[in-house]
């Protein structure tokens, strides 16, 4: 199992996410946290049995697991966390049995193995659930003493489209909603990031927009939901410069919009941007909805989007990334080799050579297919290839 843990983890992910609240599934940070917790639990149990076969396995209360429980409490759906452990346990047990029967046909050996591992798995999950339950109770008590729960409750009502008056929502949030704002999701791929770094990233966004301070709520252990007041929105170059001193942090920006409805729309755009950022390498740390809007629309059916990209690009889809980036920039720069060279800090002759090589790899010339090729390149850039 340790040789191919992802085979088991994918199955456990599928069952634990199948009945999860849609509000949770809409938040990429929590979905990724659940996946990390599943992998942490599987590896914790398996590695413990390699070290000391059959011995009781200590509960896993590491940051990957505890942070998911804390996030669920903040959303008011912590019971889902405990239910997911049981469904995940059942899926892992079925896969474990299938693996055992591939390794041995001796009925006595199988009986002993399955008896020992059944008791081990069930005891481990029981102990882990007990530890999480204690954490859940502590987090509930902490929230009832603070203002975070109320702020998150009001924000959630707005995002769900509940009929809450703009003036009342502004009063409860202590944030004026009758103006322009830009939403962002500030997050980390780490299971237990430095909350101070996330906070500084939110402040950098506000400074880049000329605002005094951001409005933010803690959405999960690894993400902040942020809104920046102002009609212009943050200056992306200033944000990129600030992020040099904020290691491990990524930012997904929504559109700039107005009022209560704009508060919601901009946030949904930021979440869409975050979902695509999660699919890219971690060196892509900042993206705006304006950059990914076409891809977001084109990839609502990912399988068909990939097929479209592969048919349109041919062998270019799997070619070195510098060739694809050259063609993508060439299309975005209005088919100017000189401007493409400036954007990529490359000599114009190199750009022309790359364009020629890229044309040789495509099933048809670029001329007359620029829209299709441009969209296909964006799909590959954000989703990768199969």
């Amino acid at each position: 199992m340790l040789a191919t843990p992802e085979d088991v983890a994918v199955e456990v992910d599928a069952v634990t996410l199948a009945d999860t609240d849609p509000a949770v599934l809409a938040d990429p940070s929590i979905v990724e946290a659940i996946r990390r917790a599943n992998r942490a639990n599987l590896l914790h149990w398996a590695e413990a049995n390699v070290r000391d076969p059959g011995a009781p396995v200590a509960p896993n209360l590491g940051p990957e697991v505890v942070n998911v429980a804390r996030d669920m409490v903040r959303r008011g759906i912590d019971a889902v966390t405990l239910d997911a452990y049981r469904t995940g346990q059942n899926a892992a047990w079925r896969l474990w049995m299938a693996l055992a029967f591939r390794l041995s046909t001796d009925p006595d050996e199988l009986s002993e193995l399955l008896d020992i591992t059944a008791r081990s798995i069930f005891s481990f999950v029981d102990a882990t659930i007990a530890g999480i339950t204690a954490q859940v109770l502590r987090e509930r008590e902490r929230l009832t003493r603070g203002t975070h729960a109320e702020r998150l409750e009001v924000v959630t009502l707005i995002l769900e489209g509940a009929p809450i008056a703009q003036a009342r929502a502004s009063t409860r949030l202590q944030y004026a909603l009758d103006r322009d704002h830009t939403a962002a999701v500030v997050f980390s791929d780490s299971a237990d990031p430095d909350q101070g770094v996330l906070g500084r990233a939110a402040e950098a966004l506000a400074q880049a927009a000329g605002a005094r301070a951001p409005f933010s709520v803690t959405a999960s252990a690894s993400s902040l939901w942020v809104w920046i007041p102002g009609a212009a929105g943050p200056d992306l170059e200033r944000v990129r410069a600030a992020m040099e001193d904020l290691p491990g942090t990524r930012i997904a920006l929504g559109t700039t919009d107005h009022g209560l409805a704009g508060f919601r729309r901009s946030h949904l755009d930021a979440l869409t941007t975050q979902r695509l950022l999660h699919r890219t390498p971690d060196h892509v740390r900042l993206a705006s909805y304006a950059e990914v809007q076409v891809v977001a629309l084109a990839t609502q059916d990912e399988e068909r989007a990939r097929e479209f990209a592969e048919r349109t690009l041919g062998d270019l889809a799997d070619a070195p990334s510098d060739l694809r980036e050259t063609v993508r920039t060439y299309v975005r720069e209005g088919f100017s080799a000189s401007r493409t060279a400036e954007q990529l800090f490359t000599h114009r002759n190199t750009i022309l050579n790359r364009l020629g090589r890229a044309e040789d790899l495509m099933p048809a010339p670029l001329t007359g297919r620029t829209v299709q090729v441009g969209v296909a390149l964006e799909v590959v850039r954000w989703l990768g290839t199969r």
Side-chain angles (χ1 to χ4, degrees):
M1 192 176 83
L2 286 171
T4 55
E6 196 63 20
D7 293 348
V8 183
V10 167
E11 293 289 337
V12 174
D13 289 345
V15 298
T16 53
L17 293 170
D19 297 320
T20 299
D21 190 291
V24 172
L25 295 178
D27 187 331
S29 289
I30 289 192
V31 171
E32 289 303 312
I34 291 171
R35 291 190 174 118
R36 283 196 299 266
N38 287 340
R39 283 151 184 76
N41 283 323
L42 288 166
L43 293 174
H44 180 92
W45 180 83
E47 289 169 349
N49 272 283
V50 168
R51 289 193 303 271
D52 194 355
V57 178
N60 182 20
L61 299 176
E64 298 92 347
V65 172
V66 170
N67 286 341
V68 170
R70 188 164 58 215
D71 295 342
M72 293 299 193
V73 174
R74 289 169 176 165
R75 301 298 177 86
I77 47 177
D78 45 274
V80 174
T81 306
L82 305 183
D83 292 342
Y85 268 85
R86 295 303 182 195
T87 55
Q89 169 189 290
N90 293 338
W93 176 243
R94 287 194 300 270
L95 290 164
W96 178 262
M97 285 194 295
L99 178 59
F101 275 90
R102 288 202 300 272
L103 294 172
S104 176
T105 57
D106 182 326
D108 293 332
E109 185 177 43
L110 283 169
S111 175
E112 183 181 9
L113 171 66
L114 295 178
D115 176 60
I116 290 172
T117 51
R119 285 187 278 115
S120 176
I121 289 174
F122 299 159
S123 296
F124 164 66
V125 172
D126 287 345
T128 300
I129 287 177
I132 291 172
T133 300
Q135 174 65 32
V136 164
L137 293 174
R138 286 193 294 272
E139 186 66 14
R140 282 181 187 157
E141 182 182 357
R142 191 187 69 80
L143 285 178
T144 58
R145 295 197 303 267
T147 60
H148 176 269
E150 182 179 5
R151 293 175 71 184
L152 184 57
E153 178 189 7
V154 176
V155 166
T156 302
L157 288 173
I158 295 171
L159 299 181
E160 291 176 348
I164 181 171
Q166 180 171 280
R168 176 169 172 74
S170 295
T171 300
R172 293 182 65 184
L173 292 176
Q174 297 184 331
Y175 173 78
L177 291 165
D178 58 342
R179 54 181 167 178
D180 294 317
H181 20 233
T182 306
V185 180
V186 178
F187 67 102
S188 171
D189 293 327
S190 168
D192 193 25
D194 184 336
Q195 292 290 324
V197 173
L198 297 181
R200 291 202 301 276
E203 291 169 2
L205 279 172
Q207 292 168 7
R212 285 189 301 175
F215 171 77
S216 64
V217 294
T218 302
S220 72
S222 59
S223 66
L224 296 177
W225 289 345
V226 181
W227 286 264
I228 306 298
D235 180 324
L236 296 190
E237 291 309 311
R238 285 187 62 185
V239 177
R240 286 192 177 93
M243 291 179 73
E244 294 297 321
D245 297 322
L246 300 168
T249 305
R250 307 177 83 180
I251 298 176
L253 284 169
T255 47
T256 301
D257 215 327
H258 185 78
L260 184 70
F263 182 93
R264 177 176 183 271
R265 280 193 299 267
S266 184
H267 175 73
L268 295 177
D269 290 343
L271 284 181
T272 297
T273 307
Q274 185 193 13
R275 278 193 288 275
L276 289 170
L277 258 183
H278 266 300
R279 307 292 296 273
T280 64
D282 58 10
H283 69 266
V284 182
R285 299 179 57 200
L286 173 67
S288 67
Y289 185 69
E291 294 178 87
V292 305
Q293 184 172 11
V294 170
V295 180
L297 293 170
T299 56
Q300 291 188 23
D301 184 333
E302 285 194 16
E303 186 63 27
R304 296 192 68 179
R306 290 181 190 277
E307 290 174 359
F308 162 77
E310 290 166 0
R311 286 198 305 270
T312 303
L313 300 177
D315 291 337
L316 181 60
D318 294 309
S321 59
D322 61 340
L323 290 186
R324 292 197 304 274
E325 185 61 15
T326 297
V327 179
R328 193 182 75 86
T329 306
Y330 181 67
V331 172
R332 290 169 70 96
E333 292 298 322
F335 318 111
S336 167
S338 297
R339 287 201 299 272
T340 301
E342 290 176 6
Q343 288 293 320
L344 298 179
F345 304 102
T346 306
H347 195 279
R348 184 174 182 275
N349 289 343
T350 302
I351 296 299
L352 293 174
N353 287 335
R354 288 180 186 173
L355 291 172
R357 288 161 56 200
E359 288 249 29
D360 291 340
L361 293 172
M362 288 192 287
L366 179 60
T367 304
R369 299 192 314 134
T370 53
V371 173
Q372 296 96 314
V373 170
V375 172
L377 286 168
E378 293 291 345
V379 168
V380 171
R381 183 189 184 211
W382 292 99
L383 294 189
T385 56
R386 281 186 284 198

